[in-house]
Amino acid sequence: MSPFAGRRIVLGVTGGIAAYKAVEICRRLVEAGAHVTPVLTEAARRFVGEVTFSALAGERARLSLFEDEDPIPHITLGRRAELILVCPATARAIGAYAAGLCDDLLGATLLATRAPVVVCPAMHTEMWEHPATGDNLRRLTERGVTVVAPEEGPLAGGDVGAGRLAAPESILATAAEALAASGAAAGSMAGLRVLVTAGGTREPIDPVRFVGNRSSGKQGYALAVEAAARGAKVTLVATVQRPLPESVGPESVDLVLVETAEEMRTALADRLPADVVLMAAAVADYRPAAAVPEKMKKTGEPLTVTLEPNPDILAELGRSGSVGTLVGFAAETSDVLANAEAKLRTKGADLIVVNDVSAPRSGFDHDTNAVTILAAAGDRTTIPLAAKRDVARAILDRVTALRASR
Ligand code: PMT
């Protein structure tokens, strides 16, 4: 079967002379069974008319962020795409993408997608060899974008040199590889029973007050959503309710709301054994020894609340033998790696994901995080500051690699 059969591909066409070659790419993708949505920039339309693409794709070519039936076309296209192929990609389009500019439909779609992106540069040699183009492409490849390098050959205006759009065969082969790689991630947790915890536990002092912490649950939710996207059957034991994306149905993420560490412990124990447990929740180490049944009255006198230790759920899971791969987190503010190493040793986890929660834009409540994954086997993987969903991807890639190595 063709690697493109049934796959949703956005074909981004930007304005260079090689735009006419994108017609052939479009035709071949459609012939191979792909659902192709052509997205043309204003400049691309000066080279090839949108009707050509619409007729070949059997789908209206999309042109504008604002003059579209869909009020948010970039979001719809970005979410639906399984691959975005930018062919040809001009120096301007590459620069705009590297800079995160989204002033046209293609630029906005590229920013709104989590699908793999393949970029096929085509331009004159001087532009191809300009350091700005090189810098922009380096930035893109660092972010995971695949670049199909241009070839040497005849260029517009009778010139000959580097910058000619790569041959359709190599563009299609690279696109197929990118789809296969993302498909592999998509199915990499198929059938696994995964338990994820999220949010901070609330340990009651009385019916209205509690001992708590700053965890928003964002990192745990991102892990649950990503595990579900990879085919896992996920139970998310959380202290907070957050929206789940439309792509995640109740059959793939079962949400169990709890409040205290004791409730979280029971909810997890009831669902063992599990293939993978990801303890992203900030579990309170201590709880009030006795919750007062009525709201405590203000007396004006100092108040002493005696705290007693909560069970260490992660350490219990580590001893239980009922978890295939156990991933703990460590929220640290100093001696970050040394403290995380100690947790890795004492809690019986296979991996500890440590975040310095005092670092800018990291840890509690931020949409981004920066972590290091420590493995019991001794290796370390550092994930620089990234969206929590991307951090979740990296963590699950590490979990998958660990399981495969056993
Ligand atoms: O929720 P967000 O706002 O997105 O923030 C994410 C996060 C900072 C909460 C998350 O990335 C994180 O670091 N979670 C772990 C927080 C924490 O409790 O760290 P800790 O170092 O105190 O605990 C170490 C590990 O033991 C954790 O996996 C924790 O879930 C677990 N633990 C802790 C205490 C306890 N009594 N039982 C436990 O199981």
Side-chain angles (χ1 to χ4, degrees):
M1 196 169 88
S2 153
F4 299 113
R7 311 304 291 270
R8 294 199 162 277
I9 299 175
V10 167
L11 175 62
V13 185
T14 70
I17 182 62
Y20 80 91
K21 296 185 182 173
V23 174
E24 175 65 4
I25 298 288
C26 181
R27 190 187 68 74
R28 291 211 201 177
L29 288 172
V30 172
E31 220 168 64
H35 303 288
V36 179
T37 306
V39 175
L40 275 61
T41 62
E42 187 65 40
R45 295 169 67 196
R46 293 177 181 260
F47 291 90
V48 187
E50 65 265 26
V51 181
T52 308
F53 285 99
S54 301
L56 280 173
E59 191 172 324
R60 187 168 47 88
R62 312 293 282 273
L63 310 172
S64 165
L65 263 173
F66 304 108
E67 287 151 34
D68 199 283
E69 286 159 14
D70 184 344
I72 45 168
H74 56 306
I75 301 295
T76 310
L77 289 171
R79 282 194 186 150
R80 222 176 42 182
E82 292 174 82
L83 172 77
I84 299 189
L85 177 61
V86 185
C87 173
T90 58
R92 188 211 64 84
I94 291 167
Y97 184 24
L101 299 183
C102 40
D103 51 352
D104 62 9
L105 180 57
L106 180 59
T109 305
L110 285 166
L111 251 65
T113 198
R114 304 227 186 269
V117 176
V118 174
V119 162
C120 312
M123 61 199 75
H124 254 76
T125 309
E126 293 84 342
M127 298 170 82
W128 172 245
E129 290 178 349
H130 196 285
T133 306
D135 286 350
N136 289 330
L137 284 168
R138 238 182 325 279
R139 277 165 88 182
L140 292 180
T141 47
E142 278 166 15
R143 293 178 199 154
V145 171
T146 304
V147 176
V148 186
E151 299 172 350
E152 290 207 10
L155 302 166
D159 293 339
V160 176
R164 180 183 163 86
L165 184 72
E169 290 68 30
S170 63
I171 292 173
L172 292 170
T174 308
E177 274 166 28
L179 267 176
S182 74
S188 61
M189 300 187 89
L192 295 186
R193 282 172 51 81
V194 174
L195 301 179
V196 184
T197 63
T201 62
R202 293 176 165 198
E203 312 295 336
I205 297 171
D206 69 11
V208 297
R209 303 178 181 92
F210 58 83
V211 174
N213 61 66
R214 297 177 192 280
S215 171
S216 63
K218 288 177 187 174
Q219 187 63 78
Y221 268 69
L223 282 162
V225 169
E226 185 56 28
R230 293 175 181 217
K233 181 94 191 65
V234 180
T235 300
L236 173 58
V237 181
T239 60
V240 282
Q241 188 149 19
R242 307 187 61 83
L244 285 165
E246 277 168 32
S247 56
V248 172
E251 67 293 341
S252 47
V253 175
D254 178 24
L255 176 64
V256 180
L257 286 171
V258 296
E259 200 169 296
T260 62
E262 199 59 64
E263 288 170 10
M264 184 171 278
R265 176 200 211 187
T266 306
L268 292 170
D270 287 350
R271 287 161 179 84
L272 293 176
D275 296 301
V276 180
V277 175
L278 299 144
M279 284 291 297
V283 183
D285 287 320
Y286 292 91
R287 65 185 171 208
V292 179
E294 306 269 314
K295 183 184 172 199
M296 288 164 67
K297 296 282 174 276
K298 186 168 78 178
T299 62
E301 295 299 313
L303 173 68
T304 302
V305 177
T306 304
L307 301 176
E308 64 181 14
N310 256 330
D312 189 325
I313 305 172
L314 179 62
E316 286 181 1
L317 290 171
R319 288 191 294 268
S320 72
S322 310
V323 180
T325 307
L326 182 59
V327 182
F329 274 67
E332 305 296 341
T333 54
S334 61
D335 298 328
V336 173
L337 289 176
N339 286 334
E341 287 282 3
K343 282 180 182 158
L344 185 62
R345 279 196 304 278
T346 55
K347 302 222 185 196
D350 298 292
L351 301 172
I352 285 280
V353 180
V354 58
N355 32 203
D356 179 348
V357 293
S358 63
R361 300 173 63 202
S362 262
F364 294 112
D365 202 28
H366 294 290
D367 293 329
T368 47
N369 208 359
V371 305
T372 300
I373 307 172
L374 310 183
D379 57 283
R380 293 178 180 185
T381 314
T382 298
I383 319 297
L385 194 71
K388 280 186 172 164
R389 179 74 184 267
D390 290 328
V391 172
R393 285 193 177 99
I395 294 169
L396 295 186
D397 285 349
R398 187 66 192 84
V399 167
T400 302
L402 179 63
R403 293 176 65 80
S405 69
R406 284 176 173 163

